[in-house]
Amino acid sequence: MIRITEETVQPFETDHIELVRKTAPECTLFLKREEEAFPVTAGEIALYGSGARKTIKGGTGSGDVNVRHFVTMEEGLEKAGFTITSKEWLDAYDQVVSNARVTFVERVKKEAAELGINAVMYGLGKAMPEPEYQIPLNAPGDLAVYVLSRISGEGADRSKEAGDIDLSETEIRDILYCSRKYKKFLLVLNVGGMVNLEPVMEVKNILLLGQLGTPIGDVLADILTGKSNPSGKLAMTWAPIEKYPSTQGFGDMDDTVYSEGIYVGYRYFNTAKVTPTFPFGYGLSYTQFEIGEAVVSADEKEVTVKVSVKNIGAHAGKEVLQLYVSKPSVKLEQPYQDLIAFAKTKELQPAESEEVVLAFQTTDMSSYDEESASYVLEEGTYWLRIGNSSADTKVCAGLHLDETAVVKKCKNICPGAEVPGFKIDAKKEVVTAEVPVYELYAARIKTEEVIYSAEPTELPKTTECTFEDVKNGKVSLDDFVGNLTNEQLAYLSIGMFEDNAGMGSMVGAASKSVAGAAGETCQRLKELGVPTLVMADGPAGIRVCTAYKMVDGKAKGMDNPLSGMLEFMEPEQLQMIAAMTPKPTQEELDAPVHYMYCTAIPIGTALAQSFNVKACEKLGAMVGEEMEQFGIHLWLAPAMNIQRSPLCGRNFEYYSEDPVVSGNIAAAITLGVQSHKGCGTTIKHFALNNQESNRMASNSIASERAIREIYLRNFEICVEKSAPETIMSSYNLVNGEHANNSKDIQTYVLRDEWGYKGTVMTDWYAVGGMMSQAGGRTDKHAAGLASGCIHAGNDITMPGMQSDFDDMLHALDNKDAKYPITRAELQVTAKRVLRTVLKLA
């Protein structure tokens, strides 16, 4: 770890920001583009919109990054040589937003009071809808850019009201006016998720810029002037919110029924033949591409598709090839098509070609049959479709399987779901294309039968030893764990906490070694030589304090962790906090200031839109470098829940509605981070954390098939391809049991079916009910338990409280406990934690 005592920009900052600036255009795409309108030469420009000066670099909450500075759209355009003619409009808009914020905060406080809920908890993550206003759009010039922004964050979902998912009347009016007034007009979307563009579809040029981190304004200028070429594709379907089947019942405070089953995103739109505004996988750039004929090779183990791609436009650029499969439906219903593989070209010059190879395991086409608890390949023909979006695919080959093959025999998980049948009245397409059909034989496909965990056996006590003895190979880890007391085992399965300190620290800033880091593992076995692991939030970069002092051996941040909550507090609450805040000691006043300025990378949704695993791996490696120098062992990222609905307030952190995209991008980020010694990722939130409304006690009700094929599949891909060091379980329940207390999810699937060897931790304050109680609501479903985590195979309860420790010891060998646990089970979880400590610390 290095401690930086100068506030000047460090060389690593410059290098990392430049890497993000170079990579970010791959995360962007044109939704609409008029030939020859753009790019342009720098000159006069009328700049309007909510994101012009108040640019959004990323979402709020744990997904935010405390940066030295980020480049706004206004700043980026001026740096590139543009003269902004609309300064009066921008100044007037600043005043409108300032006034609207006061009204919004008062509204949130009033609503919280009416609901009997703590205003701070109720306001967490809530985004202020775009206000209505009248400001003249009279800036001179022929070129105008309107930047429409949206922000969302942890703790609150998005709204169907105007100014969030839907555009406000003011936005619609002003965008259409600019489109008609100015000779050249570009609508730029500075958003982290879908917005309904149906009312402004007459606009001829629309750029989905997204939220790209530190250099976002520079990236816009690069694209506008043609220095960079967008090459991304949508990782989520865009359509009016009422067209998504997931909208019905979304955000229920107690039970959210996933009634659409496997028909998530494009799987629904394609199958039901509902035309979206913009389909999954769609995106335009400054150039065009020609996709050649596919050459396919296939057997019972692997399928390979080779396709030639040619740049037939006038600009250098990249194209994304997408391979889908349409499965036969014998017993199991199937969507029209499923993405099975994707690949991105290198940058192709005009008239240049490249052969792109897409490959997948044949068994990846299997589906889950709940009745037999097996993954199966049903007999019939699997049609492969190649294209550059889900709405533009053509059949390139067929794979005919002679009879149904059982790929993997499992056990049923997560019982208790009552999900109504979801039927789509759509005729199955009859494929008439003359393409090669390859014969596959079920007898050649081996059936894997999962062996599930038995109850663990207690490790015996041996001669006394230290953790240093384990590191030196003098004794085994089993020997060390066998000698630990029950109390020591419990401490290892809880994060760092102080005795009887209650919450003890701010959520998301519970580390003592690194200021502003989210937490640490147990420090109570230092006398035995056990070091701690430091964890920092993500996933758009490392979230730590920008400045700190070392006081009495502890890192004390100088950033205010309550800054985002103060406006929702009453005067007496502010006075109480001020009175409780200790005055700095002379040692603290005299201590030198250290600096930790990290780099914000594009949000998860934007990374997925790149469809470029190599580029994502480089960004992961960049994050790993900053982790190394600031003493972070575990990055609490990537966040990779499925984007089930555009209403989820945390979608900006997540990658895609598709598990193949989500799993592969998360794996790439993980491989990059873990290429640095002592650094690991924590993929999250495992699993079915698809809404923020009452996230601590919301019950996700889904069929087992949907759970396995959609909501667990992305985690499975990431685990298999990158072996993340740790996984974070989710707050929510799954079919009536908290995910962190579910042995089905944390052991039977994760460890027995997937072979995962790492450590699992809870989200912060996920058990015991303290956070739910702080909100003031009486929930239908009881809180999870720390003892339940041990029973399930969830190794660490974070960040740790005295009540978690007490609950574990109470449940030890107690048949009357809700989750009775044994010393052997405590040894299992403690051993996994220590194994990760050995590897990283």
Side-chain angles (χ1 to χ4, degrees):
M1 180 180 184
I2 61 171
R3 299 200 187 277
I4 300 170
T5 55
E6 296 180 357
E7 199 174 6
T8 54
V9 176
Q10 302 297 304
F12 82 87
E13 293 180 70
T14 303
D15 293 344
H16 290 181
I17 292 170
E18 184 58 32
L19 174 62
V20 175
R21 181 173 180 175
K22 180 181 177 181
T23 306
E26 297 209 37
C27 306
T28 70
L29 56 118
F30 284 108
L31 292 170
K32 295 185 72 177
R33 190 179 78 83
E34 184 182 27
E35 290 289 339
E36 308 306 325
F38 296 94
V40 296
T41 302
E44 286 193 344
I45 186 171
L47 181 64
Y48 302 111
S50 53
R53 179 177 287 171
K54 297 184 178 300
T55 303
I56 309 298
K57 79 177 191 306
T60 64
S62 63
D64 192 13
V65 179
N66 302 316
V67 298
R68 178 190 296 272
H69 172 74
F70 74 93
V71 182
T72 67
M73 309 300 187
E74 180 183 25
E75 180 186 351
L77 291 173
E78 288 183 327
K79 285 168 61 181
F82 286 92
T83 300
I84 295 174
T85 62
S86 54
K87 292 286 188 177
E88 288 185 11
W89 190 97
L90 295 173
D91 293 340
Y93 178 78
D94 285 349
Q95 189 59 53
V96 166
V97 172
S98 178
N99 295 339
R101 187 70 191 180
V102 174
T103 303
F104 170 72
V105 170
E106 289 305 314
R107 191 187 91 184
V108 169
K109 288 181 178 180
K110 182 180 178 182
E111 290 176 358
E114 291 172 350
L115 294 168
I117 297 175
N118 181 291
V120 174
M121 298 299 294
Y122 183 66
L124 182 66
K126 280 197 180 298
M128 182 183 80
E130 181 65 11
E132 304 287 357
Y133 52 85
Q134 288 273 1
I135 307 174
L137 300 158
N138 54 11
D142 293 331
L143 171 64
V145 169
Y146 187 103
V147 184
L148 184 145
S149 69
R150 291 289 186 269
I151 193 166
S152 58
E154 180 178 8
D157 287 313
R158 297 182 66 190
S159 167
K160 290 180 273 189
E161 68 180 291
D164 192 348
I165 289 281
D166 286 339
L167 306 191
S168 69
E169 291 183 10
T170 297
E171 288 171 326
I172 295 170
R173 180 198 67 214
D174 288 359
I175 289 168
L176 293 178
Y177 179 83
C178 288
S179 178
R180 296 161 186 167
K181 171 181 171 65
Y182 291 95
K183 189 174 180 180
K184 289 187 176 184
F185 175 66
L186 177 66
L187 172 59
V188 175
L189 304 179
N190 174 213
V191 299
M194 188 275 292
V195 287
N196 180 16
L197 296 178
E198 293 287 336
V200 295
M201 285 299 284
E202 73 175 60
V203 175
K204 296 177 181 178
N205 296 283
I206 304 176
L207 173 68
L208 174 54
L209 188 73
Q211 296 169 350
L212 303 175
T214 302
I216 180 171
D218 290 329
V219 178
L220 173 62
D222 291 343
I223 292 172
L224 205 57
T225 57
K227 291 181 180 178
S228 298
N229 189 355
S231 63
K233 302 286 183 179
L234 285 178
M236 183 182 196
T237 305
W238 281 37
I241 193 63
E242 62 272 10
K243 290 191 176 182
Y244 296 83
S246 57
T247 300
Q248 182 179 2
F250 180 91
D252 186 280
M253 296 291 277
D254 294 314
D255 299 297
T256 300
V257 181
Y258 291 37
S259 57
E260 71 281 359
I262 61 170
Y263 295 101
V264 177
Y266 71 87
R267 288 171 170 81
Y268 167 75
F269 286 92
N270 288 167
T271 308
K273 294 182 168 54
V274 175
T275 302
T277 310
F278 299 106
F280 172 88
Y282 167 85
L284 304 175
S285 74
Y286 280 134
T287 192
Q288 301 84 38
F289 299 90
E290 181 180 78
I291 300 175
E293 294 299 316
V295 177
V296 179
S297 59
D299 58 26
E300 289 77 13
K301 291 185 177 180
E302 187 177 57
V303 179
T304 302
V305 179
K306 297 179 180 179
V307 187
S308 176
V309 179
K310 182 178 182 180
N311 184 347
I312 58 173
H315 297 266
K318 299 181 180 183
E319 178 63 303
V320 176
L321 267 288
Q322 300 160 43
L323 184 65
Y324 297 81
V325 58
S326 295
K327 304 174 184 178
S329 177
V330 181
K331 175 183 176 183
L332 304 175
E333 288 188 15
Q334 299 290 356
Y336 172 75
Q337 61 184 2
D338 294 275
L339 184 72
I340 195 76
F342 63 87
K344 194 166 193 175
T345 67
K346 65 178 184 180
E347 184 172 80
L348 298 176
Q349 298 299 317
E352 186 180 5
S353 298
E354 180 185 5
E355 184 180 71
V356 177
V357 179
L358 303 100
F360 62 91
Q361 299 298 305
T362 306
T363 52
D364 288 347
M365 299 188 296
S366 64
S367 302
Y368 187 74
D369 175 29
E370 294 182 22
E371 185 179 14
S372 65
S374 300
Y375 287 90
V376 299
L377 284 167
E378 291 195 305
E379 64 179 294
T381 303
Y382 294 75
W383 297 106
L384 300 182
R385 301 174 182 271
I386 195 76
N388 60 3
S389 90
S390 62
D392 186 17
T393 63
K394 66 175 184 177
V395 176
C396 63
L399 309 173
H400 180 259
L401 183 64
D402 62 339
E403 58 185 21
T404 297
V406 177
V407 172
K408 191 174 188 177
K409 289 184 178 180
C410 304
K411 65 184 294 181
N412 293 117
I413 61 166
C414 304
E418 293 184 10
V419 182
F422 188 82
K423 295 287 184 180
I424 296 179
D425 186 19
K427 293 182 179 179
K428 196 73 176 179
E429 179 187 11
V430 177
V431 177
T432 58
E434 294 185 5
V435 296
V437 176
Y438 301 85
E439 293 295 330
L440 303 178
Y441 299 96
R444 297 177 183 173
I445 298 174
K446 293 182 179 180
T447 300
E448 177 188 352
E449 190 157 0
V450 179
I451 299 174
Y452 290 95
S453 297
E455 292 301 315
T457 303
E458 185 176 323
L459 298 172
K461 291 185 178 181
T462 59
T463 55
E464 287 189 12
C465 57
T466 66
F467 201 59
E468 192 68 26
D469 295 329
V470 178
K471 291 161 65 176
N472 293 333
K474 293 181 179 179
V475 298
S476 70
L477 187 56
D478 282 359
D479 291 335
F480 181 79
V481 172
N483 285 341
L484 297 177
T485 66
N486 292 336
E487 289 76 13
Q488 289 171 325
L489 293 170
Y491 281 135
L492 279 170
S493 295
I494 304 174
M496 181 193 69
F497 75 96
E498 297 175 356
D499 291 329
N500 303 308
M503 280 183 93
S505 61
M506 287 305 304
V507 176
S511 172
K512 293 182 180 179
S513 303
V514 178
E520 298 181 20
T521 54
C522 167
Q523 288 191 344
R524 295 171 184 266
L525 273 69
K526 280 191 171 182
E527 71 277 7
L528 294 178
V530 179
T532 61
L533 299 178
V534 178
M535 310 164 187
D537 259 320
I542 303 171
R543 182 177 171 83
V544 291
C545 287
T546 58
Y548 68 98
K549 292 184 174 185
M550 294 302 298
V551 182
D552 193 24
K554 299 175 184 177
K556 185 171 183 179
M558 299 175 67
D559 304 359
N560 185 352
L562 293 172
S563 58
M565 306 177 187
L566 295 177
E567 62 182 346
F568 295 111
M569 294 182 181
E570 298 298 334
E572 56 270 21
Q573 292 175 305
L574 294 172
Q575 291 172 4
M576 182 177 68
I577 289 174
M580 292 172 61
T581 303
K583 293 182 179 180
T585 63
Q586 191 60 45
E587 179 191 4
E588 181 177 343
L589 292 172
D590 294 341
V593 179
H594 303 282
Y595 301 95
M596 291 189 295
Y597 288 110
C598 297
T599 310
I601 65 174
I603 59 172
T605 299
L607 292 175
Q609 287 171 180
S610 76
F611 280 77
N612 189 333
V613 292
K614 291 182 180 179
C616 289
E617 187 172 340
K618 288 181 180 179
L619 289 176
M622 185 207 82
V623 171
E625 183 179 331
E626 294 187 2
M627 289 172 65
E628 254 193 303
Q629 63 188 25
F630 292 133
I632 307 295
H633 299 103
L634 289 169
W635 188 39
L636 304 181
M640 53 184 298
N641 293 97
I642 292 295
Q643 295 172 338
R644 174 180 176 252
S645 167
L647 290 168
C648 177
R650 220 163 168 181
N651 272 353
F652 71 95
E653 290 189 41
Y654 305 151
Y655 293 123
S656 176
E657 67 187 23
D658 181 81
V660 171
V661 174
S662 174
N664 279 282
I665 297 298
I669 293 287
T670 295
L671 288 170
V673 168
Q674 295 185 176
S675 66
H676 290 267
K677 186 178 180 180
C679 297
T681 63
T682 306
I683 63 173
K684 62 184 184 183
H685 309 87
F686 192 59
L688 283 84
N689 187 158
N690 305 105
Q691 71 177 47
E692 290 298 286
S693 299
N694 199 28
R695 58 183 177 156
M696 297 280 184
S698 170
N699 181 26
S700 299
I701 302 174
S703 70
E704 185 186 1
R705 183 181 177 193
I707 290 171
R708 285 181 174 275
E709 290 189 18
I710 304 295
Y711 300 101
L712 297 184
R713 177 58 181 151
N714 53 334
F715 286 94
E716 180 181 17
I717 291 170
C718 184
V719 166
E720 289 179 350
K721 292 194 173 185
S722 65
E725 293 295 345
T726 59
I727 293 175
M728 182 188 291
S729 56
S730 56
Y731 286 123
N732 56 283
L733 297 88
V734 178
N735 293 343
E737 184 170 41
H738 279 275
N740 52 41
N741 286 179
S742 171
K743 196 164 188 173
D744 282 351
I745 293 174
Q746 307 301 342
T747 293
Y748 297 145
V749 170
L750 178 61
R751 300 191 186 279
D752 297 337
E753 294 182 16
W754 301 351
Y756 182 65
K757 303 298 183 185
T759 298
V760 179
M761 70 180 75
T762 67
D763 207 333
W764 267 229
Y765 300 104
V767 303
M770 174 174 280
M771 292 294 284
S772 295
Q773 293 163 16
R777 182 179 187 271
T778 301
D779 293 313
K780 174 182 175 180
H781 302 289
L785 296 172
S787 55
C789 291
I790 300 299
H791 166 80
N794 188 124
D795 307 301
I796 313 178
T797 297
M798 290 298 299
M801 296 172 60
Q802 183 66 40
S803 58
D804 301 328
F805 177 77
D806 294 341
D807 174 58
M808 287 184 187
L809 293 186
H810 170 75
L812 187 61
D813 298 324
N814 182 357
K815 294 181 180 179
D816 295 327
K818 181 177 180 180
Y819 291 106
I821 59 175
T822 64
R823 175 174 166 83
E825 288 177 308
L826 272 176
Q827 288 177 332
V828 168
T829 56
K831 181 180 173 181
R832 286 197 287 247
V833 174
L834 290 171
R835 190 187 296 130
T836 303
V837 171
L838 269 175
K839 188 172 183 181
L840 299 183

